[in-house]
């Protein structure tokens, strides 16, 4: 998988204050440690967008990277802050895989956030479940499955979370229309006699 | 076991699938599946729990959500950047002010826009007022759920006083829509400082009253001490933030870790408690109210002069200027026309903000047009509600309400 540079802009990337400089440096140190530990086909690339460092990780090695980040005595990224997804189907000028999973972790030891991105192809929207490493990933993964249709392998209970169980689409995908695909019209109607 | 099958049918398909009760030695016959919510007064919204009970003890708890799913994230992709502000009100609807500010900070991060000192100070005061109102209401509701109705009435009075201040500043009480990209909607009125000072004095009294009423109350302690314990490790692994995490002994506060708006210049503590039970979360909120009061005291007497908005490219000029100057009229026109307006450069950001329930983060992607490409809200309640089964393991049925209200899960934010 190649590195995807969909964010063409260079605006707003230089730190504005000494504190922002310090935070960005801490993130770069984490990246350096990741690159020392893992070969090039795991840490696919990195870029600074809006004064934050975003790291691309190969899907196959995701769990290994998460586990390393959590357990390494110098890193100790114990806190899973965020797990979400974005669909780049209609992003202007975007080349490459359609979905990007985003993992944000925080470490008290390094006082740093790490933002990992895992790119997924449209015809193979599967990713390993992070629940084995962070128990808190269970619900966010269910939500991503519900709204984007990404299948998390090894998830203990991968069901829809926000939408009804019998819903068919994945509403946050960019090719899903705002007003739905007629699901509203086919809602079962309860009459007064039945209720 | 026809009764159990009947019960399973009544609580819905989920429960039947989820709670495959063990059949050996007639254990299942003793267990009962109970549906709690989504329309139960103690759920404060539309939360649902499916409880498997052995007598009065909880064997298993399965939280369900989605009953208030509004599709804010999808709607955000069809609105301009400023049009999302009213939607952000409705996520954590008890602290709309904080959500507005959190969202605007994230957009400003994309734009690289600096808010002038007065705007920042007004935002901090508003955010802290919102925090006080939310925390004190949470403590009150906790009291109400456990039968201490007085605490709730007292705290509601304070919340109304805070909303009065929001009312004179923004014109709204609950859904204020006060934040704007680049600042706030209006400058504060002349009597703002006086109102805030009166408010914080009253709040201090009420907090002391509530403490006197509850903190050493025998019944209150029996119902809360040692109930719903969340260990430090569990809290971290589950992504808990805010008062819930700090009550478990982790001093994580976004205002300290990644200060925004100038919190780094203010003198305040990050209180923590180590027990991680319902009582610790109650004490945590009271302690945080006191810190918020401290923050407001530092700002209210020397509110910097000047504009509240980063006047220029991204902020609407005032009506007086629009009607009197050609350039401002063109500027106004360009900002409100579809396809123009606030247009952050292509890029993405994740901006965290400490709202009363915890860390609310906005993950925004801009493609350079006037419409957000992706608006993701990281809801703190979502992670807290998911962690609920850990706290209810082996608890009594009467503790469910105590634990749930101590987490302060807001359905609007949970389901978005």
């Amino acid at each position: 998988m190649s590195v995807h540079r969909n964010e063409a802009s260079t605006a707003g990337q230089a730190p504005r204050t000494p504190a922002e400089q310090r935070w960005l440096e801490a993130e770069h140190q984490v990246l350096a440690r990741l690159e020392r530990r893992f070969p090039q086909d795991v840490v696919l690339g990195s870029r600074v967008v809006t004064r934050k460092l975003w790291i691309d990780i190969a899907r196959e090695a995701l769990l290994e990277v998460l586990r390393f980040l959590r357990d390494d005595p110098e890193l100790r990224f114990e806190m899973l802050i965020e797990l979400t997804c974005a669909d780049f189907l209609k992003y202007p000028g975007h080349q490459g895989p359609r979905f990007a999973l985003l993992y944000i972790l925080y470490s008290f030891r390094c006082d740093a956030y790490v933002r990992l991105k895992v790119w997924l192809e449209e015809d193979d929207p599967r990713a390993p479940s992070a629940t084995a490493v962070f128990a808190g990933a269970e619900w966010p993964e269910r939500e991503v499955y519900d709204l984007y249709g990404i299948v998390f392998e090894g998830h203990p209970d991968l069901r829809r979370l926000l939408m009804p169980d019998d819903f068919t689409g994945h509403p946050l995908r960019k090719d899903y229309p705002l007003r739905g695909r007629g699901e509203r019209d086919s809602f079962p109607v309860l009459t007064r006699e039945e209720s | 076991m026809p009764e159990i099958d009947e019960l399973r049918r009544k609580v819905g398909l989920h429960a039947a699938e989820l709670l495959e009760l063990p059949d050996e030695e007639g254990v299942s016959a003793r267990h009962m599946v109970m549906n709690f919510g989504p329309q139960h007064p103690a759920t404060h919204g539309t939360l649902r729990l499916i409880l498997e009970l052995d007598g009065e003890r909880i064997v298993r708890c399965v939280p369900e959500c989605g009953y208030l799913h509004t599709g804010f994230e999808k709607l955000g992709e069809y609105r301009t950047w400023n049009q999302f502000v009213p939607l952000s009100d409705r996520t954590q609807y008890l602290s709309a002010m904080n959500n507005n500010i959190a969202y605007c900070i994230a957009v400003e991060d994309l734009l690289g826009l600096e808010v002038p000192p007065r705007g920042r100070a007004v935002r901090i005061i508003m955010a802290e007022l919102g925090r006080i109102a939310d925390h004190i209401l949470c403590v009150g509701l906790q009291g109400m759920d456990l039968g201490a109705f007085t605490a709730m009435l007292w705290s509601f009075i304070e919340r109304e006083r805070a909303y009065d201040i929001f009312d004179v500043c923004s014109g709204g009480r609950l859904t204020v829509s006060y934040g704007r990209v680049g600042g706030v909607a209006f400058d504060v009125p002349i009597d703002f400082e006086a109102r805030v000072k009166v408010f914080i004095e009253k709040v201090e009294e009420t907090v002391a009253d509530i403490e006197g009423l509850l903190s050493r109350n025998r019944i209150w302690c029996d119902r809360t001490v040692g109930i719903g314990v969340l260990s430090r490790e569990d809290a971290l692994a589950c992504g808990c933030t805010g008062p819930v995490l700090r009550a478990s002994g982790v001093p994580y506060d976004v205002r300290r870790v990644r200060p925004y708006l100038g919190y780094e210049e203010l003198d305040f503590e990050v209180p923590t408690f180590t027990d991680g039970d319902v009582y610790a979360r109650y004490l945590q909120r009271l302690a945080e109210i006191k810190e918020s009061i401290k923050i407001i005291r530092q700002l209210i007497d020397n509110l910097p002069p000047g504009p509240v908005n980063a006047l220029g490219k991204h902020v609407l000029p005032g009506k007086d200027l629009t009607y009197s100057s050609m350039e401002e009229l063109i500027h106004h026109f360009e900002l409100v026309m579809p396809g123009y307006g606030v247009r952050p450069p292509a890029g993405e950001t994740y901006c965290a903000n400490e709202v009363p329930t915890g860390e609310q983060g906005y993950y925004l992607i801009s493609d350079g047009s006037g419409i957000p490409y992706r608006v993701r809200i990281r809801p703190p309640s979502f992670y807290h509600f998911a962690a609920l089964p850990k706290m209810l393991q082996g608890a009594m049925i009467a503790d469910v309400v105590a634990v749930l209200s101590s987490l302060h899960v807001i359905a609007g934010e949970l389901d978005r």
Side-chain angles (χ1 to χ4, degrees):
Chain A
M1 204 187 284
S2 60
V3 180
H4 316 287
R5 296 179 188 283
N6 54 291
E7 298 86 3
S9 160
T10 54
Q13 292 185 10
R16 295 171 297 188
T17 60
E20 283 185 349
Q21 179 78 40
R22 208 171 56 240
W23 301 334
L24 191 60
E25 270 167 20
E27 288 169 15
H28 274 292
Q29 279 169 12
V30 176
L31 173 67
R33 194 162 166 79
L34 269 181
E35 278 174 337
R36 274 205 304 280
R37 167 70 176 72
F38 290 100
Q40 267 194 337
D41 56 350
V42 171
V43 184
L44 299 171
S46 65
R47 61 201 171 281
V48 176
V49 184
T50 47
R51 303 170 294 283
K52 295 169 184 65
L53 186 68
W54 308 75
I55 305 171
D56 289 335
I57 296 287
R59 173 176 71 180
E60 291 69 29
L62 172 68
L63 285 191
E64 216 179 315
V65 169
L66 289 178
R67 207 166 273 136
F68 172 71
L69 284 169
R70 186 192 64 181
D71 295 339
D72 187 78
E74 280 181 35
L75 297 176
R76 306 288 292 149
F77 279 86
E78 309 173 279
M79 216 172 145
L80 177 75
I81 298 277
E82 167 75 310
L83 195 170
T84 188
C85 182
D87 179 2
F88 283 87
L89 179 70
K90 295 189 177 165
Y91 198 87
H94 175 69
Q95 303 274 317
R98 178 172 167 185
F99 298 107
L101 288 175
L102 173 69
Y103 297 78
I104 301 181
L105 312 177
Y106 178 72
S107 157
F108 289 95
R109 201 186 150 81
C110 310
D111 185 22
Y113 289 92
V114 58
R115 300 173 195 81
L116 306 176
K117 274 194 152 184
V118 176
W119 292 87
L120 304 175
E121 297 284 351
E122 182 173 3
D123 50 9
D124 186 24
R126 290 181 300 113
S129 166
T131 45
V133 189
F134 292 104
E138 186 177 335
W139 273 33
E141 284 184 352
R142 275 178 68 185
E143 186 188 317
V144 170
Y145 162 72
D146 187 0
L147 302 178
Y148 282 99
I150 311 275
V151 176
F152 290 94
E153 289 167 335
H155 191 285
D157 182 25
L158 199 63
R159 290 176 296 121
R160 284 187 180 271
L161 186 71
L162 299 177
M163 305 304 287
D165 277 359
D166 50 357
F167 198 78
T168 44
H170 298 294
L172 272 184
R173 286 190 173 192
K174 280 286 174 180
D175 50 5
Y176 189 89
L178 178 65
R179 287 173 174 247
R181 293 199 177 118
E183 288 90 350
R184 278 182 71 101
D185 308 325
S186 56
F187 273 164
V189 179
L190 271 182
T191 62
R192 184 164 282 277
E193 286 71 43
E194 287 172 70
S195 62
Chain B
M1 294 150 284
E3 310 96 294
I4 285 184
D5 287 341
E6 179 66 9
L7 259 171
R8 282 177 178 171
R9 197 184 61 76
K10 275 185 186 159
V11 299
L13 203 64
H14 289 322
E17 281 169 4
L18 289 171
L19 301 174
E20 278 305 320
L21 304 178
D23 274 320
E24 75 267 14
E25 295 167 23
V27 176
S28 58
R30 283 213 320 272
H31 287 188
M32 184 175 121
V33 178
M34 199 184 83
N35 194 34
F36 182 85
Q39 279 146 349
H40 185 284
T43 59
H44 305 297
T46 49
L47 315 173
R48 185 187 186 199
L49 301 171
I50 300 161
L51 304 166
E52 184 187 332
L53 304 171
D54 178 9
E56 283 199 54
R57 207 159 277 284
I58 294 161
V59 181
R60 197 150 37 138
C61 157
V62 181
E64 283 276 321
C65 73
Y67 293 94
L68 209 61
H69 181 53
T70 325
F72 289 136
E73 291 176 8
K74 185 79 177 172
L75 285 168
E77 296 171 6
Y78 291 82
R79 267 143 187 77
T80 65
W81 291 93
N82 263 323
Q83 279 175 342
F84 190 78
V85 170
L87 292 183
S88 76
D89 278 343
R90 285 149 179 83
T91 54
Q92 214 278 46
Y93 41 71
L94 289 183
S95 56
M97 206 53 108
N98 300 62
N99 305 340
N100 284 179
I101 293 166
Y103 170 72
C104 293
I105 287 174
V107 182
E108 283 151 17
D109 194 47
L110 271 179
L111 285 162
L113 193 63
E114 287 278 350
V115 179
R118 187 177 175 84
R120 289 208 299 269
V122 168
R123 276 183 175 186
I124 291 182
I125 292 174
M126 288 303 187
E128 296 307 321
L129 286 177
R131 193 181 321 278
I132 293 172
D134 187 276
H135 278 349
I136 203 160
L137 184 74
C138 174
V139 168
L141 291 178
Q142 228 175 316
M144 183 182 72
D145 286 343
L146 295 183
F149 198 64
T150 319
M152 182 269 202
L153 291 176
W154 289 354
S155 70
F156 236 90
I157 295 171
E158 293 313 321
R159 188 182 87 142
E160 287 306 302
R161 287 203 182 107
Y163 280 12
D164 285 342
I165 296 175
F166 293 171
D167 195 356
V168 293
C169 294
S170 71
R173 295 173 72 81
L174 193 71
T175 49
V176 288
S177 294
Y178 188 56
R180 289 289 182 279
V181 176
V184 292
F186 320 100
D187 201 347
V188 291
I190 343 170
D191 60 346
F192 177 69
E193 286 97 330
R195 278 173 183 271
V196 172
K197 276 182 203 163
V198 172
F199 170 72
I200 53 180
E201 263 168 35
K202 300 262 189 195
V203 164
E204 266 188 332
E205 284 171 24
T206 307
V207 168
D209 285 349
I210 291 178
E211 270 186 325
L213 189 69
L214 296 177
S215 291
R216 286 172 57 74
N217 181 321
R218 176 66 196 273
I219 303 171
W220 179 260
C221 293
D222 281 353
R223 293 291 312 270
T224 57
V225 176
I227 303 293
V229 177
L230 184 67
S231 70
R232 181 185 183 278
E233 288 69 31
D234 280 348
L236 282 172
C238 291
C240 295
T241 48
V244 177
L245 181 64
R246 290 192 286 272
S248 292
V250 184
Y252 177 82
D253 187 323
V254 186
R255 292 175 295 173
R256 266 273 185 274
V257 170
R258 289 289 180 272
Y260 49 90
L261 288 177
Y263 271 111
E264 66 272 21
E265 293 154 14
L266 296 167
D267 169 39
F268 68 101
E269 307 281 317
V270 178
T272 53
F273 289 84
T274 46
D275 295 344
D277 56 2
V278 177
Y279 189 65
R281 289 193 275 275
Y282 152 79
L283 291 178
Q284 178 70 35
R285 289 207 170 83
L286 289 183
E288 286 186 13
I289 292 172
K290 288 173 194 160
E291 295 304 318
S292 294
I293 291 173
K294 212 158 103 187
I295 292 174
I296 294 176
R297 284 241 163 86
Q298 289 169 51
L299 285 169
I300 195 69
D301 278 328
N302 32 28
L303 216 55
V308 285
N309 277 315
L311 296 172
K313 212 175 141 197
H314 305 294
V315 175
L316 281 180
K319 269 197 174 158
D320 46 343
L321 288 172
T322 311
Y323 289 144
S324 59
S325 142
M326 190 65 204
E327 288 73 25
E328 295 296 344
L329 181 67
I330 295 170
H331 180 201
H332 189 281
F333 184 75
E334 285 203 332
L335 275 176
V336 296
M337 284 300 287
Y340 291 86
V342 178
R343 279 190 291 178
E348 57 189 330
T349 188
Y350 174 84
C351 235
N353 202 301
E354 188 76 22
V355 305
T357 35
E359 170 176 341
Q360 191 181 60
Y362 275 91
Y363 172 49
L364 303 175
I365 303 179
S366 165
D367 57 1
S369 70
I371 310 280
Y373 187 79
R374 169 94 167 101
V375 184
R376 151 81 181 168
I377 311 158
R378 184 231 186 250
S381 292
F382 186 75
Y383 292 83
H384 296 160
F385 195 47
L388 186 64
K390 284 207 159 50
M391 287 170 249
L392 285 182
Q393 207 66 53
M396 304 291 278
I397 178 107
D399 299 336
V400 175
V401 178
V403 177
L404 195 58
S405 62
S406 78
L407 292 181
H408 200 39
V409 177
I410 305 293
E413 180 186 53
L414 175 71
D415 299 340
R416 301 178 307 291

